[in-house]
Amino acid sequence: MRYLVLALCLAATAVQAETGSDPDWPCVQRKQPHLSLGQMWIGPEPDEAARDLARTPEIAALADRLEQRRLPLPEAEAEIAEFAKSADNQKLTALMVAIFDRIEPHRAALIAGIARYGHKQVDLAQRIEDHRAKMEQMQKAEAPDFDAIDAEEERLDWDMRIFQDRQQALTYVCETPVILEQRVFALARAIAAGLQ
């Protein structure tokens, strides 16, 4: 188990060195705290009129629906195509702005949460090593207190279980911002298809 924790910490360090990322970043994917609309959108640059239009009830309600991941992408694309039939470029741009303004803050909050998650994992790995060192010291005593050693081992086991559970959840946690990026890009492409 000791070598597992050490291996996980070394792997995380190697990924950080390779990607030049934040030391708290536990994911294989490169950390990109914020997206820009320009990365996703090939249509007209949004002006103030488009941004105001993005807040209208019609566009805001459609954006609220389209940004939801539970709405399958083909259905979202069909709704966009229907909207595009009666929308000019400014309305389409406004829809893109409205969607982006909903997804980007959510994604940025996820990224910040993942960084905190990574920091907690590093702290937990250190705590596990501290438990091990303390147990080793207690076992080397002239008259070892086996009850205290057992209690320390229980704490170690508990922390190891938490660490391993979090590591298993990490793949899903790290994929979530990627899924959001892919959704924004797919919606942007569908909206751009309606531009005239």
Side-chain angles (χ1 to χ4, degrees):
M1 284 296 199
R2 178 181 202 168
Y3 297 109
L4 172 67
V5 173
L6 185 58
L8 289 171
C9 290
L10 290 174
T13 304
V15 167
Q16 291 163 6
E18 193 175 291
T19 62
S21 67
D22 180 333
D24 291 338
W25 188 245
C27 302
V28 173
Q29 300 88 341
R30 182 178 279 281
K31 181 180 180 183
Q32 185 165 349
H34 296 282
L35 298 176
S36 72
L37 185 59
Q39 290 173 299
M40 305 288 162
W41 179 240
I42 60 168
E45 187 172 333
D47 56 13
E48 270 314 302
R51 291 188 181 284
D52 288 342
L53 198 54
R55 291 187 285 274
T56 62
E58 174 195 18
I59 292 177
L62 181 57
D64 286 341
R65 180 162 163 70
L66 295 173
E67 66 101 9
Q68 297 296 315
R69 287 186 293 160
R70 67 178 169 259
L71 178 68
L73 207 47
E75 287 180 36
E77 290 167 344
E79 287 191 35
I80 290 169
E82 188 60 35
F83 176 76
K85 288 178 185 175
S86 61
D88 60 9
N89 286 356
Q90 190 170 37
K91 272 191 165 183
L92 290 169
T93 302
L95 178 60
M96 182 62 216
V97 167
I99 290 169
F100 186 82
D101 286 351
R102 282 159 177 73
I103 294 177
E104 167 55 18
H106 179 61
R107 184 189 167 280
L110 279 170
I111 296 287
I114 291 169
R116 287 190 302 274
Y117 186 100
H119 186 70
K120 286 179 183 174
Q121 280 296 84
V122 169
D123 290 347
L124 190 53
Q126 182 58 55
R127 199 163 71 205
I128 288 167
E129 285 306 309
D130 292 347
H131 286 309
R132 290 185 188 286
K134 187 174 180 182
M135 280 178 60
E136 210 172 288
Q137 226 175 18
M138 292 166 82
Q139 289 169 341
K140 288 180 181 176
E142 278 186 36
D145 181 349
F146 293 108
D147 289 338
I149 292 171
D150 287 346
E152 191 65 30
E153 187 173 18
E154 238 178 76
R155 287 189 287 273
L156 171 66
D157 289 344
W158 180 251
D159 284 346
M160 281 295 298
R161 189 174 316 135
I162 292 170
F163 185 89
Q164 289 169 343
D165 287 348
R166 286 180 181 172
Q167 282 302 114
Q168 289 172 351
L170 194 58
T171 301
Y172 171 76
V173 169
C174 289
E175 283 299 317
T176 305
V178 174
I179 291 167
L180 290 174
E181 288 170 37
Q182 291 169 345
R183 185 161 187 93
V184 172
F185 185 72
L187 294 174
R189 199 173 54 223
I191 295 168
L195 293 171
Q196 301 164 2

